[in-house]
């Protein structure tokens, strides 16, 4: 039991409740922390919303067009805002990246960049800036009121920009139109400040020249000239060679002119003829081959081009050259030259040949001065008047046959002379060949003779050398054999002297010495002899030896 009066009793009414107060303070702190967390979270949500609300994400290959909602009002002649202090569409755009703008003050739209495809060019049409000066439809290269280019819309001219755009990607605030005028990338809002039109480059085919016409630029001092100097407005003196050119069609117009050879028949479309000196009508047919001189193609274009169709330009100019230059000159030359001759003269060959040569010469000289080169002008057929054609033709045929017979006679005489000359030449050739063959055979015989003599002399020298060598060899052999014979003789003499001495030792008995030598050779081969008879043939050998036992023995000769 706990003692009364102690503070440890839980039943004490006056005990101080300390633990409940501490818990209350902890709860208040927890409530304040949670409120702060909620407030921070709310601030984060609001900040994130504002972040997303003000963020401008421009992806790759895109731009952002900015429009200011507040600021200075634009004047009536202004299309876009001169600066960010003015309200309205801004000149500058935002490129790829991330930006932040207050949506209460700005409005933006994201569009794809302008992309010019391959083998195309883009022509810019500026919709803002000052009005063009009088007489201009292309924006001047220099900006208004400045000495160079500027991005200030107050110093730009509206209209067509002379610089063309090549294949690539551009960050212009513009819409793109194809050749038909269709908008390639339409926008929901009209917030563009330029229009870019796609055009094809100019291609000059092989054998052609490009005639350049400046549609803009300064007016030449003398505007009545057919051709102008480079840089001035009008048809240029210099032409373009074959190839592909990327030019602004609103600034320069290029027309290809065919400078290759062209052919046409004089009788096509109309009767080409003339009255002869005696009043007969003579018609003819011919072929004229011509071409435009490349160095004068621009002048020919200005003088004779009246076509309105761009696609049929080459054919149109060709027809106009035929109609305005070649055909009138051909008719004039035929009338002037043909009226000096009678109708029957055109049946003969001489008049026709001279007429052909004169026609080609005069037509070439006349057209050359107008920039047209006549490559060839041929009269293929001449139709004389039928009333005189038959008798004149018969007389001409008779004259021609007479000339033919005379020519054949001369030809036969010439053929006989030629045959005689040929025979003489063949005879001379035969003699020459025979002399050549004789000379050839004599030369070959002399060569063979010289070769044979040289071979015989060589064989003689070799035989002489071999004979001398044989003699020397025979002498050497004789000396060698003589020496060998002497040696053999000396050896035989020595052996004979030894034998004589040995025989003398047996008192001159050669038989005894022979037996001695035989016994000397046989004795080492016998170790024992066994015989049963006394009269054996073998014993005869020893008997002969015993017959000499009583004789005085002599020492055996030593070899």
């Amino acid at each position: 039991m706990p003692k009364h009066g102690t503070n440890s009793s839980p039943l004490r009414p006056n005990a101080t409740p300390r633990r409940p107060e501490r818990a209350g303070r902890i709860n208040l702190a927890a409530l304040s922390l949670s409120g702060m967390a909620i407030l921070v979270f709310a601030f984060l949500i609001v900040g994130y919303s504002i972040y997303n609300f003000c963020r401008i994400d421009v992806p790759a290959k895109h731009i952002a067009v900015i429009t200011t909602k507040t600021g200075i009002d634009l004047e009536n002649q202004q299309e876009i805002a001169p600066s960010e202090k003015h309200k309205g569409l801004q000149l500058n755009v935002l490129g790829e990246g991330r930006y932040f703008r207050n949506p209460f003050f700005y409005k933006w739209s994201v569009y794809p960049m302008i992309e010019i495809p391959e083998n195309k060019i883009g022509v810019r049409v500026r919709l803002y800036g000052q009005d063009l000066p009088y007489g201009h439809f292309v924006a001047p290269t220099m900006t208004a009121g400045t000495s160079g280019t500027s991005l200030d819309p107050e110093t730009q001219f509206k209209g067509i920009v002379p610089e063309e755009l090549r294949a690539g990607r551009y960050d212009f605030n513009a819409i793109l139109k194809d050749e038909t005028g269709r908008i390639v990338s339409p926008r929901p809002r009209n917030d563009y400040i330029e229009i870019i039109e796609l055009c094809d480059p100019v291609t000059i085919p092989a054998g052609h020249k490009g005639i350049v016409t400046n549609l803009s630029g300064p007016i030449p001092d003398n505007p009545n000239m057919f051709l102008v100097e480079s840089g001035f407005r009008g048809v240029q003196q210099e032409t373009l060679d074959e190839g592909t050119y990327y030019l602004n069609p609103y600034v320069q117009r290029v027309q290809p002119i065919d400078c290759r050879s062209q052919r046409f028949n004089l009788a096509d479309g109309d009767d080409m003829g003339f009255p002869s000196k005696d009043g007969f009508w003579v018609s003819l047919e011919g072929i004229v081959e011509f071409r435009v001189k490349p160095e004068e193609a621009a002048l020919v274009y200005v003088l004779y081009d009246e076509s309105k169709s761009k696609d049929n330009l080459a054919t149109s100019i060709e027809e106009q050259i035929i109609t305005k230059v070649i055909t009138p000159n051909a008719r004039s030359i035929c009338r002037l030259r043909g009226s000096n001759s009678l109708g029957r003269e055109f049946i003969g060959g001489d008049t026709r040949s001279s007429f052909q040569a004169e026609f080609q010469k005069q037509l070439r000289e006349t057209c050359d001065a107008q920039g047209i080169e006549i490559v060839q002008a041929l009269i293929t057929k001449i139709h004389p008047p039928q009333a005189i054609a038959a008798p004149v033709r018969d007389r001409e045929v008779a004259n021609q046959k007479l000339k033919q017979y005379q020519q054949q006679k001369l030809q036969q005489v010439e053929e006989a002379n030629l045959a005689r000359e040929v025979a003489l030449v063949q005879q001379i050739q035969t003699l020459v060949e025979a002399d050549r063959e004789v000379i050839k055979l004599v030369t070959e015989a002399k060569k063979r003779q010289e070769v044979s003599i040289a071979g015989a002399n060589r064989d003689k020298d070799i035989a002489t050398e071999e004979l001398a060598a044989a003699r020397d060899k025979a002498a050497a052999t004789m000396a060698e054999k003589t020496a060998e014979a002497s040696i053999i003789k000396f050896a035989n003499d020595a052996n004979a002297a030894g034998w004589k001495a040995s025989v003398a030792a047996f008192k001159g008995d050669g038989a005894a010495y022979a037996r001695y030598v035989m016994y000397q050779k046989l004795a080492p081969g016998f170790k024992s002899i066994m015989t049963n008879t006394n009269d054996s043939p073998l014993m005869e050998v020893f008997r002969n030896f015993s017959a000499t036992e009583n004789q005085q023995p002599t020492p055996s000769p030593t070899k």
Side-chain angles (χ1 to χ4, degrees):
M1 295 288 297
K3 297 180 178 181
H4 295 282
T6 61
N7 295 329
S8 61
S9 177
L11 300 177
R12 185 179 179 182
N14 296 326
T16 303
R18 296 179 179 178
R19 185 170 296 176
E21 294 178 357
R22 189 178 302 167
R25 289 197 298 270
I26 293 173
N27 292 334
L28 290 175
L31 289 174
S32 62
L33 290 174
S34 61
M36 291 179 63
I38 293 173
L39 184 61
V40 170
F41 182 72
F43 277 122
L44 290 176
I45 292 176
V46 173
Y48 183 74
S49 300
I50 295 174
Y51 173 81
N52 288 333
F53 197 55
C54 299
R55 184 181 62 183
I56 304 174
D57 286 330
V58 183
K61 303 179 182 179
H62 286 70
I63 60 171
V65 178
I66 304 298
T67 303
T68 306
K69 297 180 180 180
T70 61
I72 304 173
D73 292 334
L74 299 178
E75 298 179 2
N76 291 333
Q77 70 274 12
Q78 292 178 334
E79 293 85 2
I80 61 175
S83 65
E84 293 185 359
K85 297 180 180 180
H86 292 73
K87 66 172 61 175
L89 185 63
Q90 298 293 314
L91 175 63
N92 298 323
V93 298
L94 301 180
E96 302 173 353
R98 177 172 294 174
Y99 306 89
F100 295 93
R101 294 289 187 276
N102 191 339
F104 293 103
F105 303 106
Y106 296 95
K107 180 173 60 176
W108 58 83
S109 299
V110 178
Y111 301 111
M113 288 185 179
I114 297 298
E115 187 169 355
I116 307 298
E118 291 289 338
N119 299 324
K120 294 288 184 179
I121 58 175
V123 178
R124 299 173 59 189
V125 180
R126 191 181 294 130
L127 304 179
Y128 64 92
Q130 300 185 23
D131 293 334
L132 293 174
Y134 176 77
H136 291 268
F137 67 93
V138 175
T141 304
M142 304 298 291
T143 56
T146 62
S147 59
T149 58
S150 174
L151 294 179
D152 188 1
E154 296 297 330
T155 60
Q156 296 283 351
F157 286 100
K158 65 176 62 175
I160 300 171
V161 179
E163 293 80 9
E164 67 278 353
L165 301 178
R166 300 292 293 272
R169 193 178 295 112
Y170 301 90
D171 56 352
F172 296 139
N173 183 11
I175 58 173
L176 188 65
K177 291 185 177 181
D178 58 9
E179 296 84 348
T180 61
R182 183 181 61 88
I183 300 177
V184 178
S185 55
R187 294 185 179 183
R189 300 174 54 231
N190 294 330
D191 54 353
Y192 55 87
I193 60 177
E194 291 185 8
I195 298 175
I196 297 179
E197 298 181 2
L198 291 178
C199 301
D200 293 325
V202 178
T203 300
I204 308 299
H208 290 65
K209 286 289 185 179
I211 309 302
V212 181
T213 303
N214 284 349
L215 304 178
S216 65
I219 304 248
D221 298 334
N222 187 2
N224 295 324
M225 298 295 292
F226 290 117
L227 304 177
V228 299
E229 296 181 357
S230 178
F232 288 92
R233 186 180 303 183
V235 181
Q236 304 294 300
Q237 294 180 356
E238 298 181 358
T239 58
L240 300 178
D241 296 330
E242 57 187 53
T244 302
Y245 299 89
Y246 296 86
L247 302 175
N248 191 334
Y250 294 105
V251 178
Q252 289 180 321
R253 183 179 62 195
V254 179
Q255 303 289 0
I257 298 296
D258 194 352
C259 295
R260 298 173 298 180
S261 296
Q262 308 288 336
R263 301 183 68 180
F264 78 99
N265 194 342
L266 290 173
D268 288 345
D270 196 2
D271 183 21
M272 177 66 68
F274 55 89
S276 63
K277 188 176 181 180
D278 50 1
F280 292 99
W281 183 260
V282 180
S283 59
L284 55 85
E285 296 179 8
I287 296 176
V288 178
E289 182 178 358
F290 70 96
R291 73 183 187 102
V292 178
K293 298 171 68 173
E295 61 275 9
E296 299 184 17
L299 181 61
V300 174
Y301 167 76
V302 175
L303 291 177
Y304 305 112
D305 178 42
E306 295 181 357
S307 62
K308 303 299 181 182
S309 175
K310 180 179 178 181
D311 298 334
N312 299 326
L313 177 64
T315 304
S316 176
I317 289 181
E318 175 188 353
E319 292 177 354
Q320 292 176 28
I321 290 174
I322 295 173
T323 304
K324 297 178 180 180
V325 181
I326 298 178
T327 302
N329 288 321
R331 289 183 182 277
S332 175
I333 294 171
C334 289
R335 290 179 182 273
L336 293 176
R337 178 65 178 85
S339 60
N340 295 329
S341 301
L342 299 175
R344 58 185 177 82
E345 294 179 355
F346 289 97
I347 303 175
D350 296 337
T351 303
R352 297 179 61 172
S353 300
S354 60
F355 180 78
Q356 158 70 33
E358 187 69 20
F359 173 78
Q360 178 169 315
K361 178 182 177 182
Q362 292 187 10
L363 184 62
R364 182 172 294 172
E365 292 176 354
T366 304
C367 295
D368 187 72
Q370 303 180 36
I372 308 298
E373 179 184 355
I374 301 300
V375 180
Q376 193 175 23
L378 298 177
I379 302 299
T380 56
K381 292 182 180 180
I382 296 180
H383 303 285
Q386 297 298 324
I388 61 174
V392 173
R393 185 181 300 109
D394 294 340
R395 185 180 63 181
E396 185 66 24
V397 170
N399 291 333
Q400 293 296 330
K401 286 185 177 180
L402 178 60
K403 293 180 179 180
Q404 179 182 358
Y405 296 150
Q406 293 175 353
Q407 188 66 28
Q408 289 177 356
K409 181 179 179 180
L410 293 176
Q411 182 178 358
Q412 292 176 358
V413 173
E414 293 296 332
E415 288 179 356
N417 294 332
L418 179 61
R420 184 172 61 256
E421 295 294 335
V422 169
L424 291 175
V425 170
Q426 291 179 353
Q427 182 179 3
I428 294 173
Q429 289 179 352
T430 304
L431 293 175
V432 171
E433 291 179 359
D435 293 339
R436 187 185 299 112
E437 188 68 21
V438 170
I439 294 172
K440 178 181 178 181
L441 295 175
V442 172
T443 303
E444 291 179 354
K446 288 182 178 180
K447 288 183 179 180
R448 288 196 298 270
Q449 182 181 7
E450 292 175 357
V451 172
S452 300
I453 292 173
N457 292 332
R458 185 174 59 254
D459 295 340
K460 178 182 178 182
D461 295 337
I462 294 173
T464 303
E465 295 295 334
E466 290 179 352
L467 178 60
R471 289 177 179 175
D472 294 339
K473 185 176 181 181
T477 304
M478 183 62 71
E480 182 182 359
K481 297 304 179 181
T482 303
E484 291 179 358
S486 299
I487 292 171
I488 295 172
K489 180 180 179 183
F490 292 149
N492 292 335
D493 292 341
N495 291 333
W499 289 343
K500 287 181 180 180
S502 299
V503 172
F506 285 93
K507 296 180 181 182
D509 187 356
Y513 177 71
R515 285 193 300 272
Y516 171 74
V517 172
M518 183 183 66
Y519 294 157
Q520 192 178 17
K521 299 291 184 182
L522 293 176
F526 292 97
K527 293 183 179 180
S528 62
I529 299 172
M530 183 174 61
T531 182
N532 56 358
T533 59
N534 195 22
D535 55 356
S536 175
L538 183 61
M539 294 304 295
E540 290 295 328
V541 177
F542 294 101
R543 287 191 185 98
N544 292 330
F545 183 75
S546 62
T548 60
E549 288 180 354
N550 295 325
Q551 296 179 359
Q552 185 68 28
T554 59
S556 61
T558 302
K559 293 183 179 179

